[in-house]
Amino acid sequence: MNLASSLGVENPPKPLTEFKDLIQERAGAPGGAFVYNPKVDDIASKYGVIGPMESECLLWAP
């Protein structure tokens, strides 16, 4: 059981860790460095789902 199924979400989203291109785009920097403050304010609206009691769910890892 995971958070999505315990909240009653029938079709849970893919874990965000599977979006390798998105992670590289937002957090990667030239030379193998990392961006420590990437833009994330749109992640919930694009990749989250709304559960039965208006609960919003994001999955960060499998």
Side-chain angles (χ1 to χ4, degrees):
M1 180 170 277
N2 60 28
L3 177 61
S5 63
S6 65
L7 291 174
V9 176
E10 293 182 18
N11 297 315
K14 286 185 358 183
L16 290 177
T17 55
E18 293 184 15
F19 292 96
K20 305 288 186 205
D21 293 338
L22 175 66
I23 294 168
Q24 179 61 37
E25 173 188 325
R26 300 290 180 96
F34 290 96
V35 175
Y36 288 106
N37 58 346
K39 178 182 179 336
V40 296
D41 61 342
D42 61 333
I43 298 292
S45 62
K46 287 183 179 178
Y47 300 103
V49 294
I50 303 296
M53 293 183 284
E54 299 300 314
S55 55
E56 192 164 1
C57 180
L58 280 173
L59 300 178
W60 293 98

Short mmCIF file of all heavy atoms in Angstrom, two decimals:
data_model
loop_
_atom_site.label_atom_id
_atom_site.label_comp_id
_atom_site.label_asym_id
_atom_site.label_seq_id
_atom_site.Cartn_x
_atom_site.Cartn_y
_atom_site.Cartn_z
N MET A 1 0.85 -1.17 0.00
CA MET A 1 0.00 0.00 0.00
C MET A 1 0.90 1.24 0.00
O MET A 1 1.95 1.25 0.60
CB MET A 1 -0.90 -0.02 1.23
CG MET A 1 -1.81 1.19 1.29
SD MET A 1 -3.10 1.08 2.55
CE MET A 1 -4.30 0.13 1.66
N ASN A 2 0.44 2.28 -0.68
CA ASN A 2 1.18 3.53 -0.69
C ASN A 2 0.21 4.68 -0.41
O ASN A 2 -0.98 4.48 -0.21
CB ASN A 2 1.91 3.73 -2.02
CG ASN A 2 0.98 3.75 -3.21
OD1 ASN A 2 -0.17 4.14 -3.10
ND2 ASN A 2 1.47 3.35 -4.35
N LEU A 3 0.73 5.88 -0.39
CA LEU A 3 -0.08 7.05 -0.05
C LEU A 3 -1.26 7.21 -0.99
O LEU A 3 -2.39 7.43 -0.55
CB LEU A 3 0.78 8.32 -0.07
CG LEU A 3 0.04 9.62 0.20
CD1 LEU A 3 -0.61 9.62 1.58
CD2 LEU A 3 0.99 10.79 0.06
N ALA A 4 -1.04 7.09 -2.28
CA ALA A 4 -2.13 7.28 -3.25
C ALA A 4 -3.25 6.28 -3.02
O ALA A 4 -4.43 6.66 -2.97
CB ALA A 4 -1.59 7.17 -4.67
N SER A 5 -2.93 5.02 -2.85
CA SER A 5 -3.98 4.03 -2.66
C SER A 5 -4.67 4.19 -1.31
O SER A 5 -5.87 3.96 -1.19
CB SER A 5 -3.43 2.61 -2.81
OG SER A 5 -2.48 2.33 -1.83
N SER A 6 -3.94 4.59 -0.28
CA SER A 6 -4.58 4.79 1.02
C SER A 6 -5.50 6.00 1.03
O SER A 6 -6.44 6.07 1.81
CB SER A 6 -3.54 4.90 2.13
OG SER A 6 -2.75 6.04 1.96
N LEU A 7 -5.26 6.97 0.13
CA LEU A 7 -6.15 8.13 0.00
C LEU A 7 -7.32 7.84 -0.94
O LEU A 7 -8.21 8.66 -1.08
CB LEU A 7 -5.38 9.35 -0.51
CG LEU A 7 -4.37 9.95 0.45
CD1 LEU A 7 -3.60 11.07 -0.25
CD2 LEU A 7 -5.05 10.46 1.70
N GLY A 8 -7.29 6.70 -1.62
CA GLY A 8 -8.37 6.34 -2.52
C GLY A 8 -8.18 6.82 -3.95
O GLY A 8 -9.13 6.88 -4.71
N VAL A 9 -6.97 7.17 -4.33
CA VAL A 9 -6.68 7.60 -5.70
C VAL A 9 -6.63 6.37 -6.57
O VAL A 9 -5.82 5.47 -6.36
CB VAL A 9 -5.35 8.38 -5.77
CG1 VAL A 9 -5.01 8.74 -7.20
CG2 VAL A 9 -5.42 9.63 -4.90
N GLU A 10 -7.52 6.30 -7.56
CA GLU A 10 -7.62 5.11 -8.41
C GLU A 10 -6.49 5.01 -9.42
O GLU A 10 -6.02 3.92 -9.72
CB GLU A 10 -8.97 5.08 -9.11
CG GLU A 10 -10.11 4.87 -8.13
CD GLU A 10 -11.45 4.79 -8.84
OE1 GLU A 10 -11.47 4.57 -10.06
OE2 GLU A 10 -12.47 4.96 -8.15
N ASN A 11 -6.08 6.12 -10.01
CA ASN A 11 -5.01 6.13 -11.01
C ASN A 11 -3.88 7.02 -10.52
O ASN A 11 -3.80 8.18 -10.90
CB ASN A 11 -5.53 6.63 -12.35
CG ASN A 11 -6.60 5.73 -12.92
OD1 ASN A 11 -6.45 4.52 -12.91
ND2 ASN A 11 -7.68 6.31 -13.39
N PRO A 12 -2.99 6.49 -9.68
CA PRO A 12 -1.92 7.32 -9.13
C PRO A 12 -0.95 7.78 -10.23
O PRO A 12 -0.76 7.08 -11.23
CB PRO A 12 -1.22 6.41 -8.13
CG PRO A 12 -1.56 5.04 -8.54
CD PRO A 12 -2.90 5.11 -9.21
N PRO A 13 -0.35 8.95 -10.04
CA PRO A 13 0.61 9.44 -11.03
C PRO A 13 1.91 8.65 -10.95
O PRO A 13 2.18 7.97 -9.97
CB PRO A 13 0.84 10.89 -10.59
CG PRO A 13 0.59 10.87 -9.12
CD PRO A 13 -0.51 9.87 -8.92
N LYS A 14 2.71 8.76 -12.02
CA LYS A 14 4.04 8.15 -11.99
C LYS A 14 4.87 8.87 -10.94
O LYS A 14 4.72 10.07 -10.73
CB LYS A 14 4.73 8.32 -13.35
CG LYS A 14 4.20 7.45 -14.43
CD LYS A 14 4.95 7.53 -15.76
CE LYS A 14 6.09 8.48 -15.88
NZ LYS A 14 6.69 8.53 -17.21
N PRO A 15 5.78 8.18 -10.29
CA PRO A 15 6.68 8.84 -9.34
C PRO A 15 7.52 9.91 -10.06
O PRO A 15 7.95 9.70 -11.20
CB PRO A 15 7.57 7.72 -8.82
CG PRO A 15 6.79 6.48 -9.07
CD PRO A 15 5.99 6.73 -10.30
N LEU A 16 7.75 11.03 -9.41
CA LEU A 16 8.52 12.10 -10.03
C LEU A 16 9.95 11.68 -10.33
O LEU A 16 10.59 12.24 -11.22
CB LEU A 16 8.53 13.33 -9.14
CG LEU A 16 7.19 14.06 -9.04
CD1 LEU A 16 7.29 15.23 -8.07
CD2 LEU A 16 6.72 14.55 -10.38
N THR A 17 10.45 10.68 -9.64
CA THR A 17 11.81 10.20 -9.91
C THR A 17 11.94 9.58 -11.29
O THR A 17 13.05 9.43 -11.80
CB THR A 17 12.26 9.18 -8.85
OG1 THR A 17 11.30 8.12 -8.80
CG2 THR A 17 12.39 9.82 -7.49
N GLU A 18 10.82 9.25 -11.93
CA GLU A 18 10.86 8.69 -13.28
C GLU A 18 10.94 9.76 -14.36
O GLU A 18 11.15 9.44 -15.53
CB GLU A 18 9.63 7.80 -13.51
CG GLU A 18 9.64 6.55 -12.67
CD GLU A 18 8.49 5.63 -12.96
OE1 GLU A 18 7.83 5.79 -14.01
OE2 GLU A 18 8.25 4.72 -12.14
N PHE A 19 10.80 11.01 -14.00
CA PHE A 19 10.87 12.12 -14.96
C PHE A 19 12.31 12.64 -15.02
O PHE A 19 12.62 13.74 -14.58
CB PHE A 19 9.91 13.24 -14.57
CG PHE A 19 8.47 12.87 -14.70
CD1 PHE A 19 7.75 12.41 -13.61
CD2 PHE A 19 7.83 12.98 -15.92
CE1 PHE A 19 6.42 12.07 -13.72
CE2 PHE A 19 6.49 12.64 -16.05
CZ PHE A 19 5.79 12.18 -14.95
N LYS A 20 13.21 11.81 -15.56
CA LYS A 20 14.64 12.14 -15.59
C LYS A 20 14.91 13.44 -16.35
O LYS A 20 15.73 14.25 -15.93
CB LYS A 20 15.43 11.01 -16.23
CG LYS A 20 15.23 9.65 -15.59
CD LYS A 20 15.88 9.56 -14.25
CE LYS A 20 15.75 8.14 -13.74
NZ LYS A 20 15.81 8.03 -12.32
N ASP A 21 14.22 13.65 -17.48
CA ASP A 21 14.43 14.87 -18.25
C ASP A 21 14.01 16.11 -17.47
O ASP A 21 14.70 17.13 -17.51
CB ASP A 21 13.67 14.81 -19.58
CG ASP A 21 14.23 13.76 -20.52
OD1 ASP A 21 15.40 13.36 -20.35
OD2 ASP A 21 13.48 13.32 -21.41
N LEU A 22 12.89 16.03 -16.77
CA LEU A 22 12.43 17.15 -15.97
C LEU A 22 13.42 17.46 -14.84
O LEU A 22 13.75 18.63 -14.60
CB LEU A 22 11.06 16.84 -15.36
CG LEU A 22 10.49 17.88 -14.40
CD1 LEU A 22 10.19 19.17 -15.13
CD2 LEU A 22 9.25 17.34 -13.71
N ILE A 23 13.91 16.42 -14.19
CA ILE A 23 14.88 16.62 -13.11
C ILE A 23 16.14 17.28 -13.64
O ILE A 23 16.66 18.23 -13.05
CB ILE A 23 15.20 15.27 -12.42
CG1 ILE A 23 13.95 14.75 -11.71
CG2 ILE A 23 16.36 15.42 -11.45
CD1 ILE A 23 14.06 13.33 -11.24
N GLN A 24 16.64 16.80 -14.77
CA GLN A 24 17.84 17.40 -15.36
C GLN A 24 17.58 18.84 -15.78
O GLN A 24 18.42 19.71 -15.55
CB GLN A 24 18.29 16.57 -16.58
CG GLN A 24 19.52 17.12 -17.26
CD GLN A 24 20.74 17.17 -16.37
OE1 GLN A 24 20.96 16.29 -15.55
NE2 GLN A 24 21.54 18.20 -16.52
N GLU A 25 16.42 19.10 -16.37
CA GLU A 25 16.09 20.45 -16.82
C GLU A 25 16.02 21.43 -15.65
O GLU A 25 16.50 22.55 -15.73
CB GLU A 25 14.74 20.42 -17.53
CG GLU A 25 14.20 21.78 -17.90
CD GLU A 25 12.77 21.67 -18.43
OE1 GLU A 25 12.44 20.68 -19.10
OE2 GLU A 25 11.99 22.59 -18.12
N ARG A 26 15.41 21.00 -14.55
CA ARG A 26 15.19 21.89 -13.41
C ARG A 26 16.38 21.96 -12.45
O ARG A 26 16.64 23.01 -11.89
CB ARG A 26 13.97 21.44 -12.61
CG ARG A 26 12.67 21.42 -13.40
CD ARG A 26 12.20 22.84 -13.74
NE ARG A 26 10.98 22.83 -14.50
CZ ARG A 26 9.78 22.96 -13.98
NH1 ARG A 26 9.61 23.10 -12.70
NH2 ARG A 26 8.72 22.94 -14.77
N ALA A 27 17.04 20.84 -12.21
CA ALA A 27 18.06 20.80 -11.16
C ALA A 27 19.49 20.68 -11.68
O ALA A 27 20.42 20.86 -10.92
CB ALA A 27 17.77 19.65 -10.20
N GLY A 28 19.65 20.35 -12.95
CA GLY A 28 21.00 20.19 -13.49
C GLY A 28 21.60 21.51 -13.91
O GLY A 28 20.91 22.45 -14.25
N ALA A 29 22.90 21.57 -13.84
CA ALA A 29 23.64 22.75 -14.27
C ALA A 29 24.86 22.28 -15.05
O ALA A 29 25.29 21.13 -14.89
CB ALA A 29 24.04 23.60 -13.08
N PRO A 30 25.42 23.14 -15.87
CA PRO A 30 26.61 22.74 -16.64
C PRO A 30 27.74 22.26 -15.73
O PRO A 30 27.90 22.74 -14.61
CB PRO A 30 27.01 24.02 -17.37
CG PRO A 30 25.77 24.83 -17.43
CD PRO A 30 25.01 24.50 -16.19
N GLY A 31 28.50 21.29 -16.20
CA GLY A 31 29.65 20.80 -15.46
C GLY A 31 29.31 19.83 -14.34
O GLY A 31 30.13 19.56 -13.48
N GLY A 32 28.09 19.30 -14.34
CA GLY A 32 27.71 18.33 -13.32
C GLY A 32 27.27 18.94 -12.00
O GLY A 32 27.04 18.23 -11.03
N ALA A 33 27.14 20.24 -11.95
CA ALA A 33 26.69 20.91 -10.72
C ALA A 33 25.17 20.81 -10.62
O ALA A 33 24.49 20.38 -11.55
CB ALA A 33 27.12 22.37 -10.73
N PHE A 34 24.63 21.20 -9.48
CA PHE A 34 23.19 21.17 -9.26
C PHE A 34 22.67 22.57 -8.97
O PHE A 34 23.34 23.37 -8.33
CB PHE A 34 22.83 20.27 -8.06
CG PHE A 34 23.04 18.83 -8.33
CD1 PHE A 34 24.21 18.20 -7.96
CD2 PHE A 34 22.07 18.09 -8.98
CE1 PHE A 34 24.41 16.86 -8.21
CE2 PHE A 34 22.27 16.75 -9.24
CZ PHE A 34 23.43 16.14 -8.86
N VAL A 35 21.46 22.84 -9.41
CA VAL A 35 20.76 24.07 -9.07
C VAL A 35 20.07 23.81 -7.74
O VAL A 35 19.27 22.88 -7.62
CB VAL A 35 19.72 24.43 -10.15
CG1 VAL A 35 18.91 25.64 -9.74
CG2 VAL A 35 20.41 24.67 -11.48
N TYR A 36 20.39 24.59 -6.73
CA TYR A 36 19.84 24.33 -5.39
C TYR A 36 18.47 24.94 -5.16
O TYR A 36 17.83 24.65 -4.17
CB TYR A 36 20.81 24.84 -4.32
CG TYR A 36 22.03 23.95 -4.21
CD1 TYR A 36 23.24 24.37 -4.72
CD2 TYR A 36 21.94 22.70 -3.65
CE1 TYR A 36 24.35 23.56 -4.64
CE2 TYR A 36 23.03 21.87 -3.57
CZ TYR A 36 24.24 22.31 -4.06
OH TYR A 36 25.33 21.50 -3.98
N ASN A 37 18.03 25.81 -6.03
CA ASN A 37 16.70 26.40 -5.90
C ASN A 37 15.96 26.38 -7.23
O ASN A 37 15.61 27.41 -7.79
CB ASN A 37 16.80 27.82 -5.35
CG ASN A 37 17.64 28.72 -6.24
OD1 ASN A 37 18.36 28.23 -7.11
ND2 ASN A 37 17.57 30.01 -6.03
N PRO A 38 15.68 25.16 -7.77
CA PRO A 38 15.00 25.08 -9.06
C PRO A 38 13.54 25.53 -8.96
O PRO A 38 12.96 25.55 -7.88
CB PRO A 38 15.07 23.59 -9.40
CG PRO A 38 15.14 22.92 -8.08
CD PRO A 38 15.92 23.84 -7.20
N LYS A 39 12.98 25.89 -10.09
CA LYS A 39 11.56 26.28 -10.16
C LYS A 39 10.72 25.03 -9.92
O LYS A 39 10.85 24.04 -10.62
CB LYS A 39 11.26 26.85 -11.54
CG LYS A 39 9.83 27.25 -11.77
CD LYS A 39 9.68 27.75 -13.19
CE LYS A 39 8.32 28.17 -13.61
NZ LYS A 39 7.17 27.70 -13.00
N VAL A 40 9.87 25.06 -8.90
CA VAL A 40 9.04 23.91 -8.58
C VAL A 40 7.57 24.28 -8.34
O VAL A 40 6.75 23.41 -8.05
CB VAL A 40 9.57 23.15 -7.33
CG1 VAL A 40 10.93 22.55 -7.61
CG2 VAL A 40 9.61 24.05 -6.12
N ASP A 41 7.22 25.56 -8.48
CA ASP A 41 5.86 25.98 -8.15
C ASP A 41 4.78 25.43 -9.06
O ASP A 41 3.61 25.44 -8.72
CB ASP A 41 5.77 27.51 -8.10
CG ASP A 41 6.10 28.18 -9.42
OD1 ASP A 41 6.72 27.53 -10.29
OD2 ASP A 41 5.76 29.35 -9.57
N ASP A 42 5.17 24.86 -10.20
CA ASP A 42 4.19 24.30 -11.12
C ASP A 42 4.12 22.77 -11.06
O ASP A 42 3.27 22.17 -11.71
CB ASP A 42 4.52 24.72 -12.55
CG ASP A 42 5.89 24.23 -13.00
OD1 ASP A 42 6.77 24.03 -12.14
OD2 ASP A 42 6.09 24.06 -14.21
N ILE A 43 4.95 22.13 -10.28
CA ILE A 43 5.01 20.67 -10.25
C ILE A 43 3.70 20.05 -9.77
O ILE A 43 3.19 19.11 -10.37
CB ILE A 43 6.19 20.19 -9.36
CG1 ILE A 43 7.52 20.67 -9.92
CG2 ILE A 43 6.17 18.68 -9.19
CD1 ILE A 43 7.93 20.05 -11.22
N ALA A 44 3.14 20.55 -8.68
CA ALA A 44 1.91 19.96 -8.14
C ALA A 44 0.75 20.05 -9.14
O ALA A 44 0.00 19.09 -9.31
CB ALA A 44 1.52 20.63 -6.84
N SER A 45 0.61 21.17 -9.81
CA SER A 45 -0.50 21.31 -10.75
C SER A 45 -0.31 20.47 -12.01
O SER A 45 -1.28 20.01 -12.61
CB SER A 45 -0.71 22.78 -11.13
OG SER A 45 0.43 23.29 -11.79
N LYS A 46 0.93 20.21 -12.41
CA LYS A 46 1.19 19.41 -13.62
C LYS A 46 1.21 17.91 -13.36
O LYS A 46 0.78 17.13 -14.19
CB LYS A 46 2.53 19.81 -14.25
CG LYS A 46 2.52 21.15 -14.93
CD LYS A 46 3.85 21.40 -15.58
CE LYS A 46 3.86 22.73 -16.30
NZ LYS A 46 5.16 23.02 -16.90
N TYR A 47 1.75 17.49 -12.22
CA TYR A 47 2.00 16.07 -12.00
C TYR A 47 1.23 15.47 -10.83
O TYR A 47 1.31 14.27 -10.60
CB TYR A 47 3.50 15.83 -11.80
CG TYR A 47 4.30 16.27 -12.99
CD1 TYR A 47 5.01 17.46 -12.95
CD2 TYR A 47 4.32 15.52 -14.15
CE1 TYR A 47 5.74 17.89 -14.05
CE2 TYR A 47 5.04 15.94 -15.25
CZ TYR A 47 5.75 17.13 -15.20
OH TYR A 47 6.45 17.55 -16.29
N GLY A 48 0.49 16.26 -10.10
CA GLY A 48 -0.28 15.75 -8.97
C GLY A 48 -1.66 15.27 -9.40
O GLY A 48 -2.10 15.50 -10.53
N VAL A 49 -2.32 14.59 -8.51
CA VAL A 49 -3.70 14.17 -8.73
C VAL A 49 -4.52 14.58 -7.50
O VAL A 49 -4.00 14.72 -6.41
CB VAL A 49 -3.83 12.64 -8.95
CG1 VAL A 49 -3.16 12.23 -10.23
CG2 VAL A 49 -3.29 11.86 -7.79
N ILE A 50 -5.80 14.76 -7.71
CA ILE A 50 -6.70 15.11 -6.62
C ILE A 50 -7.42 13.84 -6.18
O ILE A 50 -8.00 13.13 -6.99
CB ILE A 50 -7.73 16.17 -7.07
CG1 ILE A 50 -7.01 17.43 -7.60
CG2 ILE A 50 -8.68 16.52 -5.93
CD1 ILE A 50 -6.19 18.15 -6.59
N GLY A 51 -7.37 13.58 -4.89
CA GLY A 51 -8.01 12.39 -4.34
C GLY A 51 -9.49 12.63 -4.05
O GLY A 51 -10.02 13.71 -4.30
N PRO A 52 -10.14 11.63 -3.50
CA PRO A 52 -11.58 11.68 -3.26
C PRO A 52 -12.04 12.82 -2.34
O PRO A 52 -13.09 13.37 -2.53
CB PRO A 52 -11.90 10.33 -2.61
CG PRO A 52 -10.74 9.48 -2.85
CD PRO A 52 -9.58 10.35 -3.13
N MET A 53 -11.25 13.16 -1.34
CA MET A 53 -11.65 14.23 -0.41
C MET A 53 -10.86 15.50 -0.69
O MET A 53 -10.44 16.20 0.23
CB MET A 53 -11.47 13.77 1.02
CG MET A 53 -12.44 12.65 1.38
SD MET A 53 -12.33 12.12 3.08
CE MET A 53 -10.84 11.16 3.01
N GLU A 54 -10.65 15.79 -1.98
CA GLU A 54 -9.91 16.97 -2.42
C GLU A 54 -8.48 17.01 -1.89
O GLU A 54 -7.89 18.06 -1.73
CB GLU A 54 -10.65 18.26 -2.02
CG GLU A 54 -12.04 18.39 -2.63
CD GLU A 54 -12.01 18.39 -4.15
OE1 GLU A 54 -11.17 19.08 -4.74
OE2 GLU A 54 -12.82 17.67 -4.75
N SER A 55 -7.92 15.84 -1.60
CA SER A 55 -6.53 15.76 -1.16
C SER A 55 -5.63 15.68 -2.40
O SER A 55 -5.91 14.93 -3.33
CB SER A 55 -6.31 14.54 -0.27
OG SER A 55 -6.73 13.37 -0.93
N GLU A 56 -4.57 16.48 -2.41
CA GLU A 56 -3.66 16.48 -3.55
C GLU A 56 -2.50 15.54 -3.25
O GLU A 56 -1.98 15.51 -2.15
CB GLU A 56 -3.14 17.89 -3.81
CG GLU A 56 -2.44 18.01 -5.12
CD GLU A 56 -2.27 19.45 -5.55
OE1 GLU A 56 -2.68 20.35 -4.81
OE2 GLU A 56 -1.73 19.66 -6.61
N CYS A 57 -2.09 14.76 -4.25
CA CYS A 57 -1.08 13.73 -4.03
C CYS A 57 0.02 13.85 -5.07
O CYS A 57 -0.24 13.96 -6.27
CB CYS A 57 -1.75 12.36 -4.13
SG CYS A 57 -0.63 10.98 -3.90
N LEU A 58 1.26 13.86 -4.61
CA LEU A 58 2.43 13.77 -5.46
C LEU A 58 3.26 12.59 -4.99
O LEU A 58 3.36 12.35 -3.79
CB LEU A 58 3.31 15.02 -5.33
CG LEU A 58 2.88 16.25 -6.09
CD1 LEU A 58 3.77 17.41 -5.71
CD2 LEU A 58 2.96 16.02 -7.58
N LEU A 59 3.84 11.85 -5.90
CA LEU A 59 4.70 10.73 -5.52
C LEU A 59 6.13 11.07 -5.92
O LEU A 59 6.42 11.30 -7.08
CB LEU A 59 4.24 9.45 -6.22
CG LEU A 59 2.82 9.00 -5.90
CD1 LEU A 59 2.49 7.75 -6.68
CD2 LEU A 59 2.66 8.76 -4.42
N TRP A 60 7.01 11.09 -4.93
CA TRP A 60 8.40 11.48 -5.19
C TRP A 60 9.28 10.29 -5.51
O TRP A 60 10.27 10.42 -6.18
CB TRP A 60 8.97 12.22 -3.97
CG TRP A 60 8.30 13.51 -3.76
CD1 TRP A 60 7.29 13.77 -2.89
CD2 TRP A 60 8.51 14.72 -4.48
NE1 TRP A 60 6.87 15.06 -3.00
CE2 TRP A 60 7.61 15.68 -3.97
CE3 TRP A 60 9.37 15.09 -5.49
CZ2 TRP A 60 7.57 16.97 -4.44
CZ3 TRP A 60 9.33 16.39 -5.96
CH2 TRP A 60 8.42 17.30 -5.43
N ALA A 61 8.96 9.14 -5.02
CA ALA A 61 9.78 7.95 -5.27
C ALA A 61 8.88 6.73 -5.37
O ALA A 61 7.78 6.73 -4.84
CB ALA A 61 10.79 7.77 -4.15
N PRO A 62 9.36 5.70 -6.07
CA PRO A 62 8.53 4.49 -6.21
C PRO A 62 8.31 3.77 -4.90
O PRO A 62 8.96 3.96 -3.95
CB PRO A 62 9.32 3.62 -7.18
CG PRO A 62 10.66 4.22 -7.31
CD PRO A 62 10.60 5.60 -6.75
#
